[in-house]
Amino acid sequence: MRIAMISEHASPLAILGGEDAGGQNTHVAELSAALVAAGHDVRVYTRRDAVDLPVSVRTPDGYEVVHVPAGPAEPLAKDALLPHMKEFSRWLVDRWRGGDWTPEVVHAHFWMSGLAGLAASRQLGVPVVQTYHALGVVKRRHQGVQDTSPARRIGYERELGRSVDRVVAQCQDEVGELVRMGVPRTRMTVVPSGVNLATFAPLGPAAERDPGRARILTVGRLVERKGFQTVVRAMSYVPDAECVVVGGPPAGLLESDPYARRLRALAGSCGVADRVRLVGAVPREEMGRWYRSADLLVAAPWYEPFGLTPLEAMACGVPVVGTAVGGIKDTVVEGVTGDLVPARDPRALGDAVRDLLDDRIRRFSYAAAARERARRTYSWAVTAQRLAGVYEEVAAVRRPTRVVAG
Ligand code: UDP
């Protein structure tokens, strides 16, 4: 099938770890690669954010990345992109109408991609599948006045859910949120993200470590909601172990990153500065080395639409101590592949981590079960197959083309 992925802010070619570059980039890259491997023809449309980018690039995985001119050709925060979505969608219409390649299905990632995708595809009679990756209602609940999303995001997300041909939710928690927003359950299919089982495997090189000291790893964009402050505070309840934080700007720029500085200051005031190490952004292909070097992974977000890092750790055979939020409640099976604790509770987190570090046998059994669960339930091949099934279903339904005057 000819499949158009739209991922307005999250390019599969981006360097990850920065404020707006994380799970969605990985997801779109891996999903596209898996669909190509299954014989599909995939193009990913993302906003052109630098002048020197070619219009399109063919990746080694066989899908094409198309840089759509919409707004200035420079990096913009994702919360500033909404005004440029009209231009994005017009460009798609021109391209798909006039060119030799028109998609049979559009899969939009994030709500603004949904707006652009829906506007374009309705003019051509192409069905649209929507994955939100994150929901405005959840962000607003947790971030309150600090949420910089455009004011109309929540309303747009509701409308999208009612207008697209299918919503793909990534976890049960998201289904509940969408139903409460007024998106009909019948429009939804739950397909969790996959994990790259070749990159993330128990065997392979590991980052250097001190063999005499337990290593706790935590990974993510250096933003407050990822809960790194809770992890740093929890370290006071975990004697001797070291905590390695992967993510944020490249190592050389950590000094000037305000959040990295806050974390370091907090580690100092908690008396754990010598046991907390920030390494900055790590290229995707090197992430396996970091997971394999750890005794356990901590994922302590306030909320988490899906959460790839626990799954990547599990695929490497690393147990997870996570907060009981969002997708982590589906991926981590409590007492089998890891432990769950309440969010924003350093004491509960610290106690759970310490207990698990003290119990070698439980860690060993979690590790084996985690790898097995990742392998059986979250391979990209299976995820891509399930999504291809969704694409075929929506494409089988004929829909009228909307004729737009002018
Ligand atoms: N990641 C990376 N390098 C880094 C930090 C993160 O490659 O320095 C990757 C990580 O391996 C994962 C993704 O970024 O694939 C983060 O996804 P997650 O779902 O955990 O969080 P999100 O960014 O979507 O909030």
Side-chain angles (χ1 to χ4, degrees):
M1 255 184 130
R2 290 185 307 279
I3 302 160
M5 299 285 170
I6 304 186
S7 183
E8 55 2 346
H9 72 280
S11 167
L13 306 175
I15 296 168
L16 307 187
E19 204 170 321
D20 286 337
Q24 186 178 324
N25 308 65
T26 308
H27 179 92
V28 171
E30 298 283 3
L31 170 60
S32 301
L35 286 165
V36 168
H40 299 285
D41 180 2
V42 183
R43 294 193 182 179
V44 180
Y45 295 84
T46 190
R47 200 184 73 86
R48 180 169 180 227
D49 64 359
V51 273
D52 54 354
L53 288 176
V55 174
S56 91
V57 180
R58 185 161 292 277
T59 65
D61 289 321
Y63 61 91
E64 203 170 310
V65 178
V66 183
H67 295 114
V68 177
E74 60 191 46
L76 291 179
K78 71 171 182 281
D79 289 336
L81 292 183
L82 183 59
H84 306 296
M85 287 302 109
K86 233 181 212 150
E87 195 183 346
F88 198 117
S89 108
R90 272 195 213 119
W91 192 88
L92 291 178
V93 172
D94 287 349
R95 189 84 174 183
W96 291 341
R97 259 211 188 118
D100 51 357
W101 196 91
T102 308
E104 290 163 274
V105 65
V106 168
H107 187 167
H109 299 266
F110 206 60
W111 65 280
M112 285 182 286
S113 299
L115 296 183
L118 196 64
S121 53
R122 282 297 176 259
Q123 296 194 38
L124 298 153
V126 178
V128 179
V129 175
Q130 172 73 31
T131 298
Y132 288 97
H133 290 275
L135 288 173
V137 274
V138 179
K139 191 169 186 186
R140 178 62 52 84
R141 189 179 309 142
H142 289 276
Q143 301 206 350
V145 288
Q146 286 175 19
D147 178 8
T148 53
S149 305
R152 291 158 69 197
R153 172 175 178 176
I154 295 170
Y156 276 135
E157 287 184 335
R158 176 180 300 110
E159 274 319 301
L160 264 178
R162 292 174 175 169
S163 311
V164 294
D165 298 85
R166 191 73 62 86
V167 170
V168 170
Q170 293 196 288
C171 65
Q172 292 303 333
D173 195 74
E174 189 182 358
V175 172
E177 294 289 351
L178 287 164
V179 167
R180 281 191 291 280
M181 276 166 59
V183 176
R185 180 68 183 87
T186 46
R187 281 181 177 267
M188 291 178 221
T189 304
V190 180
V191 183
S193 188
V195 63
N196 187 324
L197 296 168
T199 315
F200 299 109
L203 292 179
E208 254 180 72
R209 61 172 278 182
D210 174 353
R213 184 170 247 192
R215 172 173 287 178
I216 296 154
L217 180 72
T218 186
V219 179
R221 295 174 290 123
L222 279 194
V223 292
E224 204 169 8
R225 71 110 170 151
K226 288 287 178 183
F228 294 117
Q229 285 150 284
T230 314
V231 183
V232 169
R233 287 203 173 92
M235 287 305 288
S236 11
Y237 304 101
V238 189
D240 303 328
E242 70 164 343
C243 172
V244 172
V245 182
V246 164
L253 299 174
L254 275 174
E255 269 314 313
S256 53
D257 183 86
Y259 190 68
R261 281 159 57 170
R262 264 172 76 191
L263 280 183
R264 282 195 170 129
L266 179 67
S269 66
C270 294
V272 297
D274 58 330
R275 298 192 285 124
V276 173
R277 184 177 149 209
L278 272 58
V279 300
V282 165
R284 196 141 60 97
E285 53 285 4
E286 279 182 33
M287 285 301 303
R289 292 178 60 239
W290 288 94
Y291 289 118
R292 284 188 287 267
S293 76
D295 293 289
L296 56 88
L297 178 98
V298 166
W302 303 348
Y303 63 96
E304 190 58 272
F306 182 73
L308 276 175
T309 67
L311 197 51
E312 290 169 351
M314 286 166 65
C316 291
V318 175
V320 176
V321 177
T323 45
V325 298
I328 302 178
K329 286 188 289 184
D330 289 5
T331 44
V332 174
V333 182
E334 180 147 36
V336 177
T337 71
D339 291 317
L340 296 176
V341 295
R344 305 200 206 206
D345 186 341
R347 181 77 204 237
L349 179 63
D351 287 351
V353 168
R354 194 191 52 241
D355 287 355
L356 192 52
L357 286 178
D358 285 347
D359 189 342
R360 211 190 164 90
I361 294 178
R362 192 152 59 99
R363 255 188 3 253
F364 187 78
S365 113
Y366 280 8
R371 168 67 189 168
E372 194 53 18
R373 179 161 172 76
R375 203 176 61 83
R376 278 185 190 272
T377 314
Y378 297 99
S379 81
W380 270 117
V382 168
T383 300
Q385 192 185 19
R386 291 176 65 191
L387 284 172
V390 170
Y391 302 156
E392 270 154 29
E393 275 170 36
V394 294
V397 179
R398 282 188 174 277
R399 65 189 45 69
T401 311
R402 207 177 70 202
V403 180
V404 175

